[in-house]
């Protein structure tokens, strides 16, 4: 079953990609192809249905319209307004026509939506206002069409409770934070699931593949499930202007990761949310379910995190390792505050096993992936660099996590007594 399900996704995506290129293939030729395959008995899965569904040309005609370039006929563009829904992890969007191409979010109008339908407002006062904050190119519609990352406000102009961007923007606009030029590199892990059964892509339904080991950065039909989705997402991010820096297959089969950064300040959250939206749309097209659950499969399987690499200007300069140690000390003193904001269900992931630290105990180490905070060997050797916060879950809010890191390490000052005790406990000399 595992070998049957994974290729079906790739078949579907390649068929969509090639539908325009093979438009000269007639319905008769498609029917002939389908009949030959039926005689061979090779297409008894949903893949056969997908191929046969294209035989009457309806899909090709729809592709013609979806890929239609309207720019020679109008200056108008389509703007897809994107926001975070009531759960704090769901992305919502809707489209509107803009009279001409734009280059900055300030050129776009505010908009509204029904907050009672997203769990963000009562029915008797349901209007929530969208404020455009960041623009990306739309890889689905192409041309001058855009994706617009928005945050959410009451009609009176107050951020609604699920608007985490507003607080982060306040932190990143503080002069002390601006002067430190905070960089973030975020490693977003995610898991692909088979539709209807909520079981990882490539796994036998109700069963398990071989143990972990060969899947991390692996290649082959028995090791890599969903590569076409990862590759499609990679290219879509590059097209959109997202600062994606890499991708790889993860330790648990059916799980993948992409990295965004280095990004400065609030930009990190904007880019991660847009990348998540693209991934939702691509998996939607592939007929695969995306989950950011931090522990999608219980047992001896890795969970899914969102490791956040972080540095300030003084950390990146000579003598920066001592600045990093001071930041680690501050982080240790606010461990509980960070954990409470680092994602729902994270206690199922941070067990001290599977390359995680215990959720209840702060730790740090050089090259140690079982710690709360990891410092790389290169950073130790150079005496400057960055730290990696390994605690955030895959479903964390990037605005919250990046804002907290900056607040704790730049704006927050512990008492001298607390600092001395923490330094002694962590064996830090700062």
């Amino acid at each position: 079953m595992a070998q049957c399900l994974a290729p079906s996704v790739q078949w579907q995506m390649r068929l969509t990609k090639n539908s325009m290129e093979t438009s000269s293939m007639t319905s008769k030729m498609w029917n002939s192809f389908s009949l030959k395959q039926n005689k061979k008995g090779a297409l008894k899965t949903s893949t056969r249905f997908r191929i046969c569904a294209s035989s009457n040309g309806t899909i090709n005609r729809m592709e013609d319209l979806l890929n239609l370039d309207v720019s020679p006929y109008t200056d108008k563009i389509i703007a897809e307004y994107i926001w975070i829904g009531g759960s704090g992890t769901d992305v919502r969007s809707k489209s509107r026509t803009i009279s001409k191409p734009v280059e900055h979010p300030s050129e776009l109008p505010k908009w509204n939506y029904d907050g009672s339908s997203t769990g963000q407002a009562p029915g008797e006062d349901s209007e929530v206002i969208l404020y455009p904050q960041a623009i990306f190119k739309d890889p689905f519609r192409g041309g001058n069409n855009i994706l617009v990352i928005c945050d959410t406000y009451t009609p009176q102009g107050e951020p609604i409770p699920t608007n985490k961007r507003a607080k982060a923007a306040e932190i990143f606009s503080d002069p002390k934070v601006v002067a430190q030029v905070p960089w973030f590199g975020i490693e977003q892990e995610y898991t692909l699931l088979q539709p209807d059964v909520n079981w990882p892509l490539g796994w036998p339904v109700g069963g398990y593949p071989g143990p972990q080991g060969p899947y991390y950065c692996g290649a082959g039909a028995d090791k890599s499930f969903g590569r076409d989705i990862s590759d499609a997402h990679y290219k879509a991010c590059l097209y959109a202007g997202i600062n994606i820096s890499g991708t790889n297959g993860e330790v648990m089969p059916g799980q993948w990761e992409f990295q965004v950064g280095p990004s400065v300040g609030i930009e990190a959250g904007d880019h991660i949310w847009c990348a998540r939206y693209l991934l939702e749309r691509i998996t939607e097209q592939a007929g695969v379910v995306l989950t950011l659950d931090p522990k999608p499969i219980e047992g001896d399987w890795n969970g899914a995190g969102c490791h956040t690499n972080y540095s300030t200007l003084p950390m990146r300069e000579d003598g920066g390792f001592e600045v990093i140690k001071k930041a680690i000390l501050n982080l240790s003193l606010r461990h509980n505050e960070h954990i409470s904001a680092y994602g729902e269900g994270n206690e199922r992931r941070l067990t001290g096993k599977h390359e995680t630290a215990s959720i209840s105990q702060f730790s740090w180490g050089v090259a140690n992936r079982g710690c709360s905070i990891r410092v790389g060997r290169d950073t130790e050797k150079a005496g400057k660099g960055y730290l990696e916060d390994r605690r955030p879950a895959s479903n964390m809010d990037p605005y919250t996590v990046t804002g907290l890191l900056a607040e704790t390490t730049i704006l927050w000052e512990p008492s001298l007594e607390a600092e001395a005790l923490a330094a002694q406990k962590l064996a830090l000399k700062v």
Side-chain angles (χ1 to χ4, degrees):
M1 191 65 175
Q3 294 179 354
C4 175
L5 282 168
S8 69
V9 176
Q10 297 170 355
W11 262 104
Q12 183 185 14
M13 296 185 72
R14 287 171 183 153
L15 178 61
T16 302
K17 175 183 175 183
N18 295 331
S19 61
M20 290 299 293
E21 298 173 2
T22 58
S23 59
S24 60
M25 183 178 283
T26 64
S27 298
K28 184 177 180 181
M29 292 170 68
W30 269 115
N31 290 333
S32 174
F33 175 78
S34 298
L35 286 171
K36 289 178 181 178
Q37 294 297 327
N38 288 341
K39 288 178 182 178
K40 295 178 182 178
L43 291 173
K44 295 184 179 180
T45 68
S46 58
T47 303
R48 172 174 169 264
F49 172 78
R50 290 177 185 137
I51 292 173
C52 291
S54 300
S55 62
N56 61 8
T58 301
I59 300 300
N60 286 343
R61 291 196 298 273
M62 185 175 291
E63 284 291 323
D64 288 343
L65 291 173
L66 287 171
N67 292 301
L68 192 63
D69 180 12
V70 300
S71 58
Y73 312 103
T74 179
D75 290 332
K76 295 179 179 179
I77 65 167
I78 302 171
E80 191 75 20
Y81 279 48
I82 302 165
W83 70 95
I84 295 99
S87 72
T89 58
D90 57 317
V91 283
R92 309 286 181 126
S93 73
K94 61 176 183 173
S95 311
R96 70 178 297 166
T97 302
I98 304 299
S99 60
K100 62 180 181 179
V102 298
E103 296 183 358
H104 193 271
S106 62
E107 301 175 60
L108 292 167
K110 296 174 184 176
W111 204 8
N112 67 76
Y113 67 93
D114 172 17
S116 68
S117 296
T118 61
Q120 294 172 294
E124 63 273 13
D125 188 14
S126 64
E127 195 168 279
V128 178
I129 312 301
L130 293 168
Y131 286 32
Q133 299 290 2
I135 291 176
F136 298 88
K137 292 183 292 183
D138 187 340
F140 304 108
R141 295 187 174 111
N144 291 319
N145 301 302
I146 55 174
L147 305 175
V148 185
I149 296 296
C150 305
D151 59 355
T152 46
Y153 296 80
T154 67
Q156 293 73 37
E158 295 295 323
I160 67 172
T162 52
N163 181 354
K164 307 303 182 185
R165 191 186 191 281
K167 173 63 176 176
E170 181 183 332
I171 292 170
F172 288 120
S173 63
D174 187 291
K176 292 181 180 178
V177 177
V178 172
Q180 299 251 348
V181 196
W183 284 6
F184 298 94
I186 300 177
E187 306 170 23
Q188 175 69 70
E189 295 178 346
Y190 61 93
T191 308
L192 300 173
L193 303 178
Q194 302 168 39
D196 302 324
V197 295
N198 284 329
W199 202 240
L201 191 68
W203 291 34
V205 177
Y208 297 87
Q212 294 183 155
Y215 310 107
Y216 173 69
C217 298
D222 59 341
K223 305 177 193 70
S224 177
F225 311 114
R227 185 185 298 278
D228 279 359
I229 291 174
S230 175
D231 281 356
H233 178 252
Y234 201 160
K235 287 191 173 182
C237 285
L238 288 172
Y239 179 97
I242 291 168
N243 191 21
I244 188 169
S245 51
T247 185
N248 60 268
E250 265 304 327
V251 177
M252 190 184 85
Q255 192 176 91
W256 292 81
E257 175 188 298
F258 65 89
Q259 304 92 32
V260 170
S263 303
V264 180
I266 198 70
E267 179 185 275
D270 290 339
H271 283 233
I272 282 289
W273 273 117
C274 191
R276 286 178 174 179
Y277 175 80
L278 293 181
L279 189 56
E280 289 279 12
R281 288 284 302 275
I282 290 166
T283 51
E284 171 190 320
Q285 292 181 9
V288 172
V289 176
L290 167 70
T291 180
L292 298 182
D293 189 290
K295 187 71 173 180
I297 302 295
E298 296 298 325
D300 195 19
W301 303 97
N302 274 33
C306 206
H307 305 150
T308 302
N309 301 285
Y310 169 64
S311 69
T312 61
L313 184 60
M315 293 180 189
R316 299 188 292 270
E317 295 177 336
D318 290 343
F321 197 16
E322 295 307 310
V323 182
I324 290 172
K325 289 179 181 179
K326 174 62 167 64
I328 291 172
L329 187 149
N330 280 22
L331 290 168
S332 73
L333 292 170
R334 299 190 81 194
H335 178 64
N336 291 336
E337 287 90 336
H338 282 251
I339 286 296
S340 66
Y342 273 16
E344 293 294 324
N346 209 12
E347 72 282 352
R348 294 183 283 116
R349 169 180 161 264
L350 294 181
T351 61
K353 300 178 180 179
H354 306 108
E355 300 180 83
T356 70
S358 169
I359 195 170
S360 59
Q361 185 175 356
F362 182 90
S363 58
W364 82 284
V366 176
N368 188 341
R369 283 177 163 77
C371 286
S372 307
I373 304 294
R374 182 183 72 90
V375 175
R377 288 287 182 201
D378 288 345
T379 295
E380 180 188 44
K381 182 178 180 180
K384 58 184 176 181
Y386 67 94
L387 62 85
E388 178 191 31
D389 192 341
R390 297 182 58 81
R391 297 171 295 174
S394 50
N395 59 3
M396 63 81 151
D397 187 298
Y399 296 130
T400 299
V401 169
T402 57
L404 261 177
L405 282 169
E407 181 182 61
T408 297
T409 60
I410 300 173
L411 300 178
W412 184 75
E413 285 292 339
S415 67
L416 293 176
E417 293 82 4
E419 190 176 82
L421 286 172
Q424 184 178 18
K425 183 178 180 181
L426 295 171
L428 286 168
K429 295 180 180 180
V430 295

